[in-house]
Amino acid sequence: RKRTCACARTRTGRWVRRAMAPCCEDSEDRSEGEAWSHEASSALPVMWMASGCEACVVQVTTETHVADLKLQIRNKVGVPLAEQRLFAGEEELAADSTRAALTPAAALQLLRSQSDPRDTNLRHFDSYVCLEKLPEELEMVRLLGKSLFGTVELHRWKRDDGGSVTCAVKQMPNEFVNQNKDKDALTEIGILTYLSRQRDLPLYILRLLGTFADTRCTYLMTEFAEGGELYGLAAASSRISELQIRTYAWQLLQAVKYLLGWRRHCRLRRGGGARGGARRTGPVPGLPAPRRGAWAELVAEVWGYTLPAADIFAVGICLFNLTWHARPWGHAVLSDPYFVFARKHGIEASLKAWHKTLLSPEAMRVLAAALATS
């Protein structure tokens, strides 16, 4: 009988080529998902997208289809086929994709989800929006600044009971209110309206006082915070004392604790236009010098994440920016060298490499715990 090269499975469960082995023409004894080929195969690691840890190693050839990979993953990890979402870089792999379409040196990323996590009902809170007629008792005091959609002004609102309330009024042209985009003013109004109806709303979440509209603009009226927003402090160049940082941290955590107990899909997110340079000096060993430039949007959100861990991570990012007026990394992904360095050596090592002044040991432990990744 003619002998040729065939595939054999080692004790570790991986398919390898063995020379002079009988050709296995009968495929009935192969379990489903053990995809193999008479061509030379290579090992391809599959990483969990949320944690960056290895889920398993699959064997592929140039003709291996994604469906075959998913069968291997199901047998090795136990994730059902319908709940597997495979990504190569930022692109999700279609079911008919082959190994040739992948980056040779890059690992696959596995996300377990029954539905596409990118499909979000952005109109969920629209039902809470109630726009009333603009009251005539509003008296403008001064301009506070510009917002993403319009301007923010300080007003004095004379109430029917004879009293008055000092409030902040965001004035937005109607054509910008409902754009159904990532930053949607109507969604902001809906969420703030919902929260304002909660009797136990904590002091550290800005309360909505009213929403109004006329033929030209929509008006969002909230409590007035005299100190402005934290983003302004983070973008400024003046150093904030550790005592003040601790105060801000406690207030942020009180707000996050309430939102987590609210049991809705709220994610703490920092973003907005730049009002200063992101300054981070000093080289990181083995890494290029950090980039200078305007503040980029700071986002801490991961597909398939658990609410407490991701939101505490976001609080840690905010505290880092308030303390050192810089970003710890560009994006919290394994392709970002600054994130990889901090993940391997710790955030304190990154700060020392940049010659930054550290906080107290207790504060550094809290910050390191908030920014820890699994």
Side-chain angles (χ1 to χ4, degrees):
R1 183 179 180 182
K2 184 178 180 180
R3 302 173 70 86
T4 182
C5 293
C7 294
R9 198 175 188 183
T10 66
R11 292 182 180 179
T12 61
R14 298 183 181 180
W15 286 98
V16 297
R17 288 176 58 83
R18 279 185 184 166
M20 305 303 295
C23 182
C24 299
E25 297 178 355
D26 183 9
S27 61
E28 293 182 357
D29 60 339
R30 284 182 291 157
S31 61
E32 187 179 23
E34 296 177 347
W36 56 276
S37 170
H38 289 290
E39 299 179 5
S41 62
S42 60
L44 184 66
V46 179
M47 317 299 289
W48 290 110
M49 177 175 284
S51 66
C53 299
E54 183 177 294
C56 64
V57 176
V58 294
Q59 297 298 315
V60 297
T61 70
T62 56
E63 300 300 325
T64 301
H65 286 259
V66 173
D68 300 325
L69 297 180
K70 289 188 174 183
L71 288 172
Q72 294 187 57
I73 293 172
R74 186 194 65 179
N75 290 343
K76 294 183 177 184
V77 186
V79 180
L81 298 177
E83 298 181 15
Q84 293 183 34
R85 307 189 74 87
L86 285 176
F87 292 81
E90 298 181 355
E91 298 295 329
E92 183 174 6
L93 300 181
D96 57 350
S97 297
T98 62
R99 176 71 178 90
L102 306 179
T103 303
L108 292 175
Q109 290 182 308
L110 172 63
L111 172 68
R112 181 171 183 173
S113 177
Q114 293 183 350
S115 59
D116 191 337
R118 296 166 294 184
D119 292 340
T120 305
N121 181 14
L122 298 179
R123 308 263 63 85
H124 174 75
F125 288 97
D126 286 6
S127 60
Y128 295 97
V129 176
C130 181
L131 301 178
E132 302 177 358
K133 182 181 178 180
L134 185 66
E136 298 179 357
E137 296 79 9
L138 279 177
E139 178 185 353
M140 178 180 172
V141 178
R142 60 185 173 90
L143 177 69
L144 295 175
K146 295 183 178 181
S147 67
L148 182 64
F149 298 102
T151 60
V152 181
E153 302 170 344
L154 180 63
H155 282 252
R156 186 175 292 107
W157 187 14
K158 297 179 181 179
R159 308 295 295 267
D160 295 336
D161 56 7
S164 63
V165 177
T166 301
C167 56
V169 178
K170 180 187 291 187
Q171 180 176 315
M172 302 167 285
N174 289 334
E175 59 267 24
F176 296 139
V177 171
N178 186 10
Q179 299 187 50
N180 195 18
K181 294 184 178 180
D182 182 46
K183 290 180 173 60
D184 186 3
L186 199 61
T187 299
E188 177 187 8
I189 294 173
I191 293 176
L192 289 177
T193 301
Y194 179 90
L195 290 174
S196 68
R197 297 176 183 176
Q198 311 309 308
R199 296 183 178 180
D200 61 340
L201 189 69
L203 176 64
Y204 305 108
I205 294 181
L206 206 62
R207 181 179 289 274
L208 180 70
L209 300 179
T211 52
F212 311 95
D214 55 23
T215 57
R216 185 175 58 90
C217 292
T218 298
Y219 305 87
L220 181 65
M221 183 187 299
T222 66
E223 296 175 315
F224 174 55
E226 296 182 6
E229 61 177 357
L230 289 180
Y231 182 79
L233 294 178
S237 58
S238 57
R239 182 174 176 82
I240 306 174
S241 68
E242 181 173 328
L243 178 60
Q244 191 63 56
I245 294 291
R246 288 173 178 244
T247 302
Y248 291 144
W250 189 86
Q251 294 174 353
L252 276 174
L253 290 173
Q254 295 304 306
V256 170
K257 179 182 178 181
Y258 179 82
L259 293 177
L260 291 176
W262 175 36
R263 300 299 183 189
R264 294 293 188 270
H265 298 296
C266 288
R267 289 174 285 193
L268 185 63
R269 184 183 180 104
R270 295 295 300 162
R275 290 192 178 183
R279 301 179 303 159
R280 183 177 59 186
T281 58
V284 175
L287 297 181
R291 295 172 296 177
R292 295 176 179 270
W295 277 68
E297 185 177 45
L298 303 175
V299 180
E301 55 183 349
V302 183
W303 288 352
Y305 74 136
T306 55
L307 287 174
D311 285 344
I312 296 302
F313 183 85
V315 171
I317 294 292
C318 292
L319 298 180
F320 188 100
N321 280 270
L322 284 170
T323 305
W324 292 285
H325 306 284
R327 295 176 290 163
W329 45 71
H331 298 278
V333 293
L334 295 178
S335 59
D336 188 306
Y338 297 104
F339 174 72
V340 172
F341 182 89
R343 188 170 184 264
K344 181 178 180 180
H345 302 285
I347 195 65
E348 186 171 328
S350 296
L351 290 168
K352 288 180 179 179
W354 297 324
H355 305 290
K356 297 291 186 180
T357 302
L358 302 181
L359 297 173
S360 65
E362 180 186 24
M364 289 304 302
R365 285 195 297 271
V366 172
L367 182 64
L371 295 178
T373 57
S374 59

